[in-house]
Amino acid sequence: MTVREALAARISTRAYLGTPVSEAQLRELLNLAARAPSGGNLQPWQVNVVSGTARQRVIDAVKMVQTEHPFGEPELEYQIYPKPIIDPWRARRFACGEAVYASMDIPREDKMARLTHVARNFEFFGAPVGLFVSIHKDMQPGQWSDLGMFIQSFLLAATEAGLGSCAQEAWSIYPKTVKTAAGIADDFTLFCGIALGHADPDAPVNATRTERADVDEFASFAGF
């Protein structure tokens, strides 16, 4: 698979088979991802990988907290989306959500079914492996950019290896709980989780393909 093919094939996989992923394969993928660009070669990313009982420990810890804080802990480490979020970004986010629910035939008025699907975020959508990506609190926007390039590199490497993945910022709304359960140091900011495993080919949600803006909407060209 070429880089071009991996970019075209990668999706946010939201349903997985129970097939395990080995530690050896994870180490290989992380080694590849670590070749991502990094200003000054700081390599500011930190990754905590969980599977088996360690994975379940995080899931159970978040479920316990959700009874009191269903929409996240009171103190967040960063804001996922701007408030308010304006167009065109608001429209894109709305269209993404509608595409996901439409793939599962969940209508807008079925609030319970939608909430049930959202809750699957905190089970890694059934993926056997979860990764938590964090960054030291001293790091600045340049290093956050490096973090994003590392994550994209990992997702593309996973795609090339025939694995499904989903970057999940949702975990960041429970930073204290996740960091304690996953063993992440207090002086690191939890950025996101990543679900990883073998995609369920029969799950309708995995047929979702979100649209992308045309190049002319986000790029300008001069001197050609």
PDB file of all heavy atoms in Angstrom, residues 62-91:
ATOM      1  N   VAL A  62     -13.853   5.089  34.026  1.00  0.00           N
ATOM      2  CA  VAL A  62     -14.635   6.160  33.401  1.00  0.00           C
ATOM      3  C   VAL A  62     -16.135   5.927  33.600  1.00  0.00           C
ATOM      4  O   VAL A  62     -16.887   6.864  33.879  1.00  0.00           O
ATOM      5  CB  VAL A  62     -14.293   6.278  31.902  1.00  0.00           C
ATOM      6  CG1 VAL A  62     -15.276   7.189  31.183  1.00  0.00           C
ATOM      7  CG2 VAL A  62     -12.875   6.804  31.728  1.00  0.00           C
ATOM      8  N   LYS A  63     -16.580   4.688  33.498  1.00  0.00           N
ATOM      9  CA  LYS A  63     -18.010   4.393  33.700  1.00  0.00           C
ATOM     10  C   LYS A  63     -18.465   4.791  35.090  1.00  0.00           C
ATOM     11  O   LYS A  63     -19.581   5.289  35.277  1.00  0.00           O
ATOM     12  CB  LYS A  63     -18.278   2.910  33.453  1.00  0.00           C
ATOM     13  CG  LYS A  63     -18.343   2.533  31.985  1.00  0.00           C
ATOM     14  CD  LYS A  63     -18.726   1.068  31.790  1.00  0.00           C
ATOM     15  CE  LYS A  63     -18.857   0.744  30.309  1.00  0.00           C
ATOM     16  NZ  LYS A  63     -19.223  -0.691  30.096  1.00  0.00           N
ATOM     17  N   MET A  64     -17.618   4.579  36.079  1.00  0.00           N
ATOM     18  CA  MET A  64     -17.976   4.952  37.446  1.00  0.00           C
ATOM     19  C   MET A  64     -18.139   6.463  37.577  1.00  0.00           C
ATOM     20  O   MET A  64     -19.077   6.950  38.214  1.00  0.00           O
ATOM     21  CB  MET A  64     -16.906   4.444  38.422  1.00  0.00           C
ATOM     22  CG  MET A  64     -16.920   2.939  38.646  1.00  0.00           C
ATOM     23  SD  MET A  64     -15.735   2.428  39.916  1.00  0.00           S
ATOM     24  CE  MET A  64     -16.378   3.285  41.353  1.00  0.00           C
ATOM     25  N   VAL A  65     -17.246   7.211  36.947  1.00  0.00           N
ATOM     26  CA  VAL A  65     -17.300   8.673  37.036  1.00  0.00           C
ATOM     27  C   VAL A  65     -18.484   9.226  36.240  1.00  0.00           C
ATOM     28  O   VAL A  65     -19.058  10.260  36.604  1.00  0.00           O
ATOM     29  CB  VAL A  65     -15.975   9.279  36.532  1.00  0.00           C
ATOM     30  CG1 VAL A  65     -16.065  10.797  36.458  1.00  0.00           C
ATOM     31  CG2 VAL A  65     -14.825   8.876  37.432  1.00  0.00           C
ATOM     32  N   GLN A  66     -18.860   8.539  35.176  1.00  0.00           N
ATOM     33  CA  GLN A  66     -19.945   9.029  34.325  1.00  0.00           C
ATOM     34  C   GLN A  66     -21.284   9.107  35.039  1.00  0.00           C
ATOM     35  O   GLN A  66     -22.147   9.891  34.639  1.00  0.00           O
ATOM     36  CB  GLN A  66     -20.070   8.154  33.079  1.00  0.00           C
ATOM     37  CG  GLN A  66     -18.998   8.427  32.030  1.00  0.00           C
ATOM     38  CD  GLN A  66     -19.100   7.507  30.835  1.00  0.00           C
ATOM     39  OE1 GLN A  66     -19.399   6.327  30.971  1.00  0.00           O
ATOM     40  NE2 GLN A  66     -18.850   8.052  29.658  1.00  0.00           N
ATOM     41  N   THR A  67     -21.477   8.318  36.085  1.00  0.00           N
ATOM     42  CA  THR A  67     -22.742   8.381  36.811  1.00  0.00           C
ATOM     43  C   THR A  67     -22.954   9.750  37.445  1.00  0.00           C
ATOM     44  O   THR A  67     -24.082  10.243  37.531  1.00  0.00           O
ATOM     45  CB  THR A  67     -22.795   7.292  37.905  1.00  0.00           C
ATOM     46  OG1 THR A  67     -21.692   7.463  38.805  1.00  0.00           O
ATOM     47  CG2 THR A  67     -22.717   5.909  37.286  1.00  0.00           C
ATOM     48  N   GLU A  68     -21.851  10.385  37.846  1.00  0.00           N
ATOM     49  CA  GLU A  68     -21.931  11.724  38.453  1.00  0.00           C
ATOM     50  C   GLU A  68     -21.653  12.821  37.441  1.00  0.00           C
ATOM     51  O   GLU A  68     -22.211  13.923  37.535  1.00  0.00           O
ATOM     52  CB  GLU A  68     -20.937  11.840  39.616  1.00  0.00           C
ATOM     53  CG  GLU A  68     -21.023  13.154  40.368  1.00  0.00           C
ATOM     54  CD  GLU A  68     -20.085  13.211  41.565  1.00  0.00           C
ATOM     55  OE1 GLU A  68     -19.432  12.190  41.854  1.00  0.00           O
ATOM     56  OE2 GLU A  68     -20.014  14.278  42.205  1.00  0.00           O
ATOM     57  N   HIS A  69     -20.812  12.532  36.464  1.00  0.00           N
ATOM     58  CA  HIS A  69     -20.432  13.538  35.467  1.00  0.00           C
ATOM     59  C   HIS A  69     -20.615  12.959  34.050  1.00  0.00           C
ATOM     60  O   HIS A  69     -19.640  12.590  33.392  1.00  0.00           O
ATOM     61  CB  HIS A  69     -18.976  13.959  35.671  1.00  0.00           C
ATOM     62  CG  HIS A  69     -18.687  14.541  37.015  1.00  0.00           C
ATOM     63  ND1 HIS A  69     -19.170  15.759  37.433  1.00  0.00           N
ATOM     64  CD2 HIS A  69     -17.953  14.040  38.060  1.00  0.00           C
ATOM     65  CE1 HIS A  69     -18.755  16.012  38.665  1.00  0.00           C
ATOM     66  NE2 HIS A  69     -18.015  14.982  39.059  1.00  0.00           N
ATOM     67  N   PRO A  70     -21.860  12.858  33.586  1.00  0.00           N
ATOM     68  CA  PRO A  70     -22.119  12.228  32.277  1.00  0.00           C
ATOM     69  C   PRO A  70     -21.536  12.992  31.101  1.00  0.00           C
ATOM     70  O   PRO A  70     -21.342  12.407  30.028  1.00  0.00           O
ATOM     71  CB  PRO A  70     -23.643  12.166  32.209  1.00  0.00           C
ATOM     72  CG  PRO A  70     -24.112  13.251  33.137  1.00  0.00           C
ATOM     73  CD  PRO A  70     -23.111  13.284  34.237  1.00  0.00           C
ATOM     74  N   PHE A  71     -21.264  14.274  31.279  1.00  0.00           N
ATOM     75  CA  PHE A  71     -20.755  15.072  30.162  1.00  0.00           C
ATOM     76  C   PHE A  71     -19.302  15.502  30.349  1.00  0.00           C
ATOM     77  O   PHE A  71     -18.830  16.429  29.706  1.00  0.00           O
ATOM     78  CB  PHE A  71     -21.655  16.298  29.942  1.00  0.00           C
ATOM     79  CG  PHE A  71     -23.085  15.928  29.682  1.00  0.00           C
ATOM     80  CD1 PHE A  71     -24.061  16.170  30.648  1.00  0.00           C
ATOM     81  CD2 PHE A  71     -23.449  15.310  28.498  1.00  0.00           C
ATOM     82  CE1 PHE A  71     -25.374  15.818  30.419  1.00  0.00           C
ATOM     83  CE2 PHE A  71     -24.771  14.954  28.250  1.00  0.00           C
ATOM     84  CZ  PHE A  71     -25.740  15.203  29.223  1.00  0.00           C
ATOM     85  N   GLY A  72     -18.610  14.830  31.266  1.00  0.00           N
ATOM     86  CA  GLY A  72     -17.202  15.132  31.468  1.00  0.00           C
ATOM     87  C   GLY A  72     -16.917  15.686  32.848  1.00  0.00           C
ATOM     88  O   GLY A  72     -17.813  16.179  33.546  1.00  0.00           O
ATOM     89  N   GLU A  73     -15.649  15.598  33.236  1.00  0.00           N
ATOM     90  CA  GLU A  73     -15.243  16.107  34.540  1.00  0.00           C
ATOM     91  C   GLU A  73     -15.285  17.633  34.563  1.00  0.00           C
ATOM     92  O   GLU A  73     -15.161  18.279  33.510  1.00  0.00           O
ATOM     93  CB  GLU A  73     -13.827  15.599  34.857  1.00  0.00           C
ATOM     94  CG  GLU A  73     -13.786  14.099  35.088  1.00  0.00           C
ATOM     95  CD  GLU A  73     -12.382  13.535  35.199  1.00  0.00           C
ATOM     96  OE1 GLU A  73     -11.427  14.173  34.708  1.00  0.00           O
ATOM     97  OE2 GLU A  73     -12.243  12.444  35.763  1.00  0.00           O
ATOM     98  N   PRO A  74     -15.436  18.223  35.753  1.00  0.00           N
ATOM     99  CA  PRO A  74     -15.545  19.692  35.843  1.00  0.00           C
ATOM    100  C   PRO A  74     -14.331  20.440  35.310  1.00  0.00           C
ATOM    101  O   PRO A  74     -14.467  21.515  34.731  1.00  0.00           O
ATOM    102  CB  PRO A  74     -15.719  19.932  37.350  1.00  0.00           C
ATOM    103  CG  PRO A  74     -16.234  18.641  37.895  1.00  0.00           C
ATOM    104  CD  PRO A  74     -15.606  17.567  37.056  1.00  0.00           C
ATOM    105  N   GLU A  75     -13.136  19.888  35.508  1.00  0.00           N
ATOM    106  CA  GLU A  75     -11.912  20.576  35.098  1.00  0.00           C
ATOM    107  C   GLU A  75     -11.282  19.869  33.897  1.00  0.00           C
ATOM    108  O   GLU A  75     -10.699  18.785  34.034  1.00  0.00           O
ATOM    109  CB  GLU A  75     -10.924  20.638  36.266  1.00  0.00           C
ATOM    110  CG  GLU A  75     -11.432  21.469  37.443  1.00  0.00           C
ATOM    111  CD  GLU A  75     -10.406  21.573  38.549  1.00  0.00           C
ATOM    112  OE1 GLU A  75      -9.248  21.156  38.326  1.00  0.00           O
ATOM    113  OE2 GLU A  75     -10.755  22.072  39.636  1.00  0.00           O
ATOM    114  N   LEU A  76     -11.412  20.498  32.738  1.00  0.00           N
ATOM    115  CA  LEU A  76     -10.819  19.953  31.522  1.00  0.00           C
ATOM    116  C   LEU A  76      -9.415  20.514  31.335  1.00  0.00           C
ATOM    117  O   LEU A  76      -9.096  21.597  31.821  1.00  0.00           O
ATOM    118  CB  LEU A  76     -11.675  20.303  30.298  1.00  0.00           C
ATOM    119  CG  LEU A  76     -13.132  19.825  30.321  1.00  0.00           C
ATOM    120  CD1 LEU A  76     -13.836  20.227  29.034  1.00  0.00           C
ATOM    121  CD2 LEU A  76     -13.221  18.309  30.533  1.00  0.00           C
ATOM    122  N   GLU A  77      -8.589  19.773  30.600  1.00  0.00           N
ATOM    123  CA  GLU A  77      -7.222  20.229  30.346  1.00  0.00           C
ATOM    124  C   GLU A  77      -7.126  21.057  29.077  1.00  0.00           C
ATOM    125  O   GLU A  77      -6.188  21.828  28.901  1.00  0.00           O
ATOM    126  CB  GLU A  77      -6.289  19.020  30.275  1.00  0.00           C
ATOM    127  CG  GLU A  77      -6.187  18.287  31.598  1.00  0.00           C
ATOM    128  CD  GLU A  77      -5.138  17.189  31.579  1.00  0.00           C
ATOM    129  OE1 GLU A  77      -5.156  16.353  30.653  1.00  0.00           O
ATOM    130  OE2 GLU A  77      -4.298  17.167  32.501  1.00  0.00           O
ATOM    131  N   TYR A  78      -8.069  20.895  28.174  1.00  0.00           N
ATOM    132  CA  TYR A  78      -8.152  21.740  26.981  1.00  0.00           C
ATOM    133  C   TYR A  78      -9.555  21.628  26.406  1.00  0.00           C
ATOM    134  O   TYR A  78     -10.301  20.706  26.735  1.00  0.00           O
ATOM    135  CB  TYR A  78      -7.093  21.362  25.935  1.00  0.00           C
ATOM    136  CG  TYR A  78      -7.414  20.124  25.122  1.00  0.00           C
ATOM    137  CD1 TYR A  78      -8.004  20.216  23.864  1.00  0.00           C
ATOM    138  CD2 TYR A  78      -7.114  18.844  25.606  1.00  0.00           C
ATOM    139  CE1 TYR A  78      -8.299  19.081  23.120  1.00  0.00           C
ATOM    140  CE2 TYR A  78      -7.396  17.716  24.872  1.00  0.00           C
ATOM    141  CZ  TYR A  78      -7.993  17.836  23.621  1.00  0.00           C
ATOM    142  OH  TYR A  78      -8.289  16.721  22.887  1.00  0.00           O
ATOM    143  N   GLN A  79      -9.927  22.586  25.575  1.00  0.00           N
ATOM    144  CA  GLN A  79     -11.245  22.605  24.954  1.00  0.00           C
ATOM    145  C   GLN A  79     -11.154  21.943  23.586  1.00  0.00           C
ATOM    146  O   GLN A  79     -10.372  22.361  22.734  1.00  0.00           O
ATOM    147  CB  GLN A  79     -11.738  24.054  24.805  1.00  0.00           C
ATOM    148  CG  GLN A  79     -13.211  24.174  24.514  1.00  0.00           C
ATOM    149  CD  GLN A  79     -14.069  23.821  25.718  1.00  0.00           C
ATOM    150  OE1 GLN A  79     -13.826  24.282  26.835  1.00  0.00           O
ATOM    151  NE2 GLN A  79     -15.058  22.985  25.501  1.00  0.00           N
ATOM    152  N   ILE A  80     -11.953  20.890  23.351  1.00  0.00           N
ATOM    153  CA  ILE A  80     -11.866  20.158  22.094  1.00  0.00           C
ATOM    154  C   ILE A  80     -12.280  21.036  20.918  1.00  0.00           C
ATOM    155  O   ILE A  80     -11.581  21.120  19.906  1.00  0.00           O
ATOM    156  CB  ILE A  80     -12.748  18.895  22.140  1.00  0.00           C
ATOM    157  CG1 ILE A  80     -12.229  17.927  23.198  1.00  0.00           C
ATOM    158  CG2 ILE A  80     -12.767  18.211  20.768  1.00  0.00           C
ATOM    159  CD1 ILE A  80     -13.084  16.682  23.381  1.00  0.00           C
ATOM    160  N   TYR A  81     -13.422  21.704  21.034  1.00  0.00           N
ATOM    161  CA  TYR A  81     -13.921  22.558  19.955  1.00  0.00           C
ATOM    162  C   TYR A  81     -14.041  23.994  20.448  1.00  0.00           C
ATOM    163  O   TYR A  81     -14.220  24.235  21.645  1.00  0.00           O
ATOM    164  CB  TYR A  81     -15.296  22.081  19.476  1.00  0.00           C
ATOM    165  CG  TYR A  81     -15.304  20.698  18.890  1.00  0.00           C
ATOM    166  CD1 TYR A  81     -15.922  19.642  19.559  1.00  0.00           C
ATOM    167  CD2 TYR A  81     -14.701  20.436  17.661  1.00  0.00           C
ATOM    168  CE1 TYR A  81     -15.940  18.360  19.016  1.00  0.00           C
ATOM    169  CE2 TYR A  81     -14.715  19.159  17.117  1.00  0.00           C
ATOM    170  CZ  TYR A  81     -15.339  18.127  17.801  1.00  0.00           C
ATOM    171  OH  TYR A  81     -15.351  16.865  17.263  1.00  0.00           O
ATOM    172  N   PRO A  82     -13.968  24.964  19.524  1.00  0.00           N
ATOM    173  CA  PRO A  82     -14.197  26.360  19.920  1.00  0.00           C
ATOM    174  C   PRO A  82     -15.626  26.534  20.438  1.00  0.00           C
ATOM    175  O   PRO A  82     -16.533  25.813  20.026  1.00  0.00           O
ATOM    176  CB  PRO A  82     -14.006  27.143  18.613  1.00  0.00           C
ATOM    177  CG  PRO A  82     -13.318  26.211  17.678  1.00  0.00           C
ATOM    178  CD  PRO A  82     -13.704  24.833  18.078  1.00  0.00           C
ATOM    179  N   LYS A  83     -15.800  27.471  21.338  1.00  0.00           N
ATOM    180  CA  LYS A  83     -17.146  27.816  21.823  1.00  0.00           C
ATOM    181  C   LYS A  83     -17.366  29.317  21.706  1.00  0.00           C
ATOM    182  O   LYS A  83     -16.671  30.082  22.382  1.00  0.00           O
ATOM    183  CB  LYS A  83     -17.325  27.370  23.277  1.00  0.00           C
ATOM    184  CG  LYS A  83     -17.432  25.864  23.436  1.00  0.00           C
ATOM    185  CD  LYS A  83     -17.869  25.498  24.843  1.00  0.00           C
ATOM    186  CE  LYS A  83     -18.079  23.993  24.976  1.00  0.00           C
ATOM    187  NZ  LYS A  83     -18.567  23.609  26.311  1.00  0.00           N
ATOM    188  N   PRO A  84     -18.296  29.759  20.840  1.00  0.00           N
ATOM    189  CA  PRO A  84     -19.107  28.927  19.954  1.00  0.00           C
ATOM    190  C   PRO A  84     -18.311  28.480  18.729  1.00  0.00           C
ATOM    191  O   PRO A  84     -17.313  29.115  18.374  1.00  0.00           O
ATOM    192  CB  PRO A  84     -20.231  29.867  19.541  1.00  0.00           C
ATOM    193  CG  PRO A  84     -19.578  31.219  19.548  1.00  0.00           C
ATOM    194  CD  PRO A  84     -18.610  31.186  20.702  1.00  0.00           C
ATOM    195  N   ILE A  85     -18.756  27.415  18.103  1.00  0.00           N
ATOM    196  CA  ILE A  85     -18.148  26.980  16.856  1.00  0.00           C
ATOM    197  C   ILE A  85     -18.999  27.521  15.707  1.00  0.00           C
ATOM    198  O   ILE A  85     -20.218  27.366  15.709  1.00  0.00           O
ATOM    199  CB  ILE A  85     -18.023  25.440  16.794  1.00  0.00           C
ATOM    200  CG1 ILE A  85     -17.295  25.014  15.526  1.00  0.00           C
ATOM    201  CG2 ILE A  85     -19.376  24.754  16.940  1.00  0.00           C
ATOM    202  CD1 ILE A  85     -16.908  23.538  15.510  1.00  0.00           C
ATOM    203  N   ILE A  86     -18.362  28.215  14.776  1.00  0.00           N
ATOM    204  CA  ILE A  86     -19.100  28.903  13.719  1.00  0.00           C
ATOM    205  C   ILE A  86     -18.874  28.208  12.379  1.00  0.00           C
ATOM    206  O   ILE A  86     -17.992  27.361  12.234  1.00  0.00           O
ATOM    207  CB  ILE A  86     -18.674  30.382  13.624  1.00  0.00           C
ATOM    208  CG1 ILE A  86     -17.171  30.483  13.300  1.00  0.00           C
ATOM    209  CG2 ILE A  86     -18.988  31.123  14.925  1.00  0.00           C
ATOM    210  CD1 ILE A  86     -16.694  31.906  13.060  1.00  0.00           C
ATOM    211  N   ASP A  87     -19.686  28.585  11.409  1.00  0.00           N
ATOM    212  CA  ASP A  87     -19.524  28.022  10.065  1.00  0.00           C
ATOM    213  C   ASP A  87     -18.265  28.557   9.395  1.00  0.00           C
ATOM    214  O   ASP A  87     -17.841  29.660   9.699  1.00  0.00           O
ATOM    215  CB  ASP A  87     -20.755  28.366   9.217  1.00  0.00           C
ATOM    216  CG  ASP A  87     -21.968  27.540   9.617  1.00  0.00           C
ATOM    217  OD1 ASP A  87     -21.763  26.397  10.093  1.00  0.00           O
ATOM    218  OD2 ASP A  87     -23.088  28.029   9.474  1.00  0.00           O
ATOM    219  N   PRO A  88     -17.618  27.781   8.542  1.00  0.00           N
ATOM    220  CA  PRO A  88     -18.080  26.492   7.996  1.00  0.00           C
ATOM    221  C   PRO A  88     -17.793  25.295   8.885  1.00  0.00           C
ATOM    222  O   PRO A  88     -18.225  24.180   8.592  1.00  0.00           O
ATOM    223  CB  PRO A  88     -17.279  26.376   6.696  1.00  0.00           C
ATOM    224  CG  PRO A  88     -15.963  27.018   7.031  1.00  0.00           C
ATOM    225  CD  PRO A  88     -16.326  28.201   7.901  1.00  0.00           C
ATOM    226  N   TRP A  89     -17.091  25.494   9.992  1.00  0.00           N
ATOM    227  CA  TRP A  89     -16.663  24.368  10.820  1.00  0.00           C
ATOM    228  C   TRP A  89     -17.842  23.724  11.545  1.00  0.00           C
ATOM    229  O   TRP A  89     -17.883  22.510  11.709  1.00  0.00           O
ATOM    230  CB  TRP A  89     -15.588  24.847  11.785  1.00  0.00           C
ATOM    231  CG  TRP A  89     -14.476  25.496  11.021  1.00  0.00           C
ATOM    232  CD1 TRP A  89     -13.529  24.874  10.243  1.00  0.00           C
ATOM    233  CD2 TRP A  89     -14.232  26.900  10.897  1.00  0.00           C
ATOM    234  NE1 TRP A  89     -12.707  25.790   9.658  1.00  0.00           N
ATOM    235  CE2 TRP A  89     -13.104  27.054  10.035  1.00  0.00           C
ATOM    236  CE3 TRP A  89     -14.824  28.037  11.412  1.00  0.00           C
ATOM    237  CZ2 TRP A  89     -12.587  28.296   9.698  1.00  0.00           C
ATOM    238  CZ3 TRP A  89     -14.300  29.282  11.077  1.00  0.00           C
ATOM    239  CH2 TRP A  89     -13.193  29.396  10.227  1.00  0.00           C
ATOM    240  N   ARG A  90     -18.806  24.540  11.958  1.00  0.00           N
ATOM    241  CA  ARG A  90     -20.004  23.991  12.601  1.00  0.00           C
ATOM    242  C   ARG A  90     -20.740  23.066  11.646  1.00  0.00           C
ATOM    243  O   ARG A  90     -21.156  21.968  12.029  1.00  0.00           O
ATOM    244  CB  ARG A  90     -20.922  25.122  13.056  1.00  0.00           C
ATOM    245  CG  ARG A  90     -22.224  24.634  13.670  1.00  0.00           C
ATOM    246  CD  ARG A  90     -23.133  25.818  14.031  1.00  0.00           C
ATOM    247  NE  ARG A  90     -24.415  25.354  14.533  1.00  0.00           N
ATOM    248  CZ  ARG A  90     -25.422  24.979  13.764  1.00  0.00           C
ATOM    249  NH1 ARG A  90     -25.294  24.998  12.444  1.00  0.00           N
ATOM    250  NH2 ARG A  90     -26.568  24.571  14.297  1.00  0.00           N
ATOM    251  N   ALA A  91     -20.908  23.502  10.405  1.00  0.00           N
ATOM    252  CA  ALA A  91     -21.632  22.701   9.419  1.00  0.00           C
ATOM    253  C   ALA A  91     -20.911  21.379   9.142  1.00  0.00           C
ATOM    254  O   ALA A  91     -21.554  20.332   8.967  1.00  0.00           O
ATOM    255  CB  ALA A  91     -21.805  23.491   8.129  1.00  0.00           C
TER     256      ALA A  91
END
